[in-house]
């Protein structure tokens, strides 16, 4: 609930983040992260677990940026590798952002749509949802996020014969299986069989 309130206050409907606003409520954000650290993760249901890990990833990313705000890009931190630093205390372990995404979320849940839910604080990232993830809104919101991201020309240029899509589909290609089939499940402009799918440059500047 605390995180839900913070997101509603400081994130727009299109996912622009007011880091200065978050900074004024940093104590509330830190309290939320310490509450997460106290959660007995194994006792949660599968959906509760996925919602927990997405919220944890997003809250930790926001905290990292707020601690260093103002800045131009998350890549300005930790020698360009902010995802590898272990500092997030959860489930009786100290984890990095990469641990959460690549060692927990991806292998455990086998859910490609999470890539539209976890947010790295960059302009090219799928927009941050301006409410907390819950077991109840998980499926609906993942489906909505996938549809809106894939059809948003700021992130993907859909075209029947020569589409250009987000680098996320390149970096995490294994998660999406047949990329054309995955995209066409959501795309309003269908991609032809045999079309060469290209990847767009990623803008790492801050999503503020």
């Amino acid at each position: 609930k605390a995180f839900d309130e913070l997101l509603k206050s400081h994130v727009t409907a299109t996912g622009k983040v007011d880091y200065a606003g978050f900074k004024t409520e940093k104590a509330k954000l830190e309290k939320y992260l310490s509450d997460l650290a106290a959660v007995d993760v194994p006792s949660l249901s599968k959906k509760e677990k996925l919602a927990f890990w997405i919220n944890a990833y997003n809250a930790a990313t926001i905290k990292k940026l707020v601690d260093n705000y103002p800045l131009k890009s998350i890549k300005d931190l930790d020698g360009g590798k902010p995802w590898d630093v272990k500092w997030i205390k959860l489930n009786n372990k100290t984890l990095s952002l990469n641990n959460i995404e690549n060692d927990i979320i991806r292998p455990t849940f086998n859910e490609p749509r999470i890539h539209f839910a976890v947010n790295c604080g960059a302009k090219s990232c799928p927009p941050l949802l301006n409410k907390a993830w819950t077991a109840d809104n998980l499926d609906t919101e993942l489906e909505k996020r996938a549809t809106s991201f894939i059809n948003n020309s700021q992130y993907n240029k859909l075209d029947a014969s020569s589409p250009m899509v987000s680098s996320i589909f390149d970096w995490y290609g294994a998660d999406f299986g047949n990329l054309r089939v995955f995209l066409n499940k959501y795309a309003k402009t269908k991609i032809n069989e045999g079309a060469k799918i290209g990847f767009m440059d990623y803008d790492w500047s801050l999503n503020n």
Side-chain angles (χ1 to χ4, degrees), residues 101-131:
E101 183 175 13
N102 299 323
D103 303 334
I104 298 170
I105 297 179
R106 290 174 64 211
T108 309
F109 299 95
N110 194 18
E111 169 53 84
R113 295 173 303 174
I114 63 101
H115 294 294
F116 318 123
V118 296
N119 182 277
C120 66
K123 276 211 170 75
S124 286
C125 286
L128 180 63
L129 183 62
N130 63 347
K131 59 183 170 191

Side-chain angles (χ1 to χ4, degrees), residues 150-153 155-166 179-181 183-184 186-200:
I150 288 167
N151 290 292
N152 185 329
S153 60
Y155 304 103
N156 301 286
K157 309 261 186 264
L158 295 177
D159 179 88
S161 53
S162 55
M164 293 287 289
V165 299
S166 167
L179 184 53
R180 188 184 67 86
V181 170
L183 291 166
N184 277 350
Y186 300 97
K188 294 188 173 82
T189 304
K190 302 298 180 202
I191 300 166
N192 295 340
E193 205 163 332
K196 188 181 181 309
I197 300 176
F199 300 102
M200 292 169 68

Side-chain angles (χ1 to χ4, degrees), residues 19 64-65 68-78 80 82-83 120-123 202-208:
Y19 290 102
K64 189 164 220 16
L65 291 165
N68 295 282
Y69 190 78
L71 75 166
K72 287 196 173 69
S73 165
I74 191 166
K75 283 197 139 183
D76 296 343
L77 305 173
D78 307 307
W83 298 282
C120 66
K123 276 211 170 75
Y202 212 77
D203 181 354
W204 284 102
S205 54
L206 213 58
N207 58 345
N208 55 352

Side-chain angles (χ1 to χ4, degrees), residues 15-67:
K16 297 271 177 277
V17 185
D18 174 12
Y19 290 102
F22 265 111
K23 204 163 188 160
T24 64
E25 294 199 77
K26 191 168 140 178
K28 191 169 174 180
L29 180 63
E30 288 173 345
K31 164 91 170 65
Y32 172 71
L33 280 164
S34 67
D35 289 347
L36 288 187
V39 172
D40 176 29
V41 180
S43 72
L44 303 176
S45 72
K46 190 171 183 190
K47 281 187 177 176
E48 285 168 343
K49 281 185 180 132
L50 182 51
F52 171 90
W53 288 115
I54 295 171
N55 287 328
Y57 186 98
N58 290 343
T61 299
I62 292 166
K63 172 162 162 57
K64 189 164 220 16
L65 291 165
V66 165
D67 283 349

Side-chain angles (χ1 to χ4, degrees), residues 8-19:
K8 287 192 165 102
S9 303
H10 305 300
V11 183
T12 67
T14 56
K16 297 271 177 277
V17 185
D18 174 12
Y19 290 102

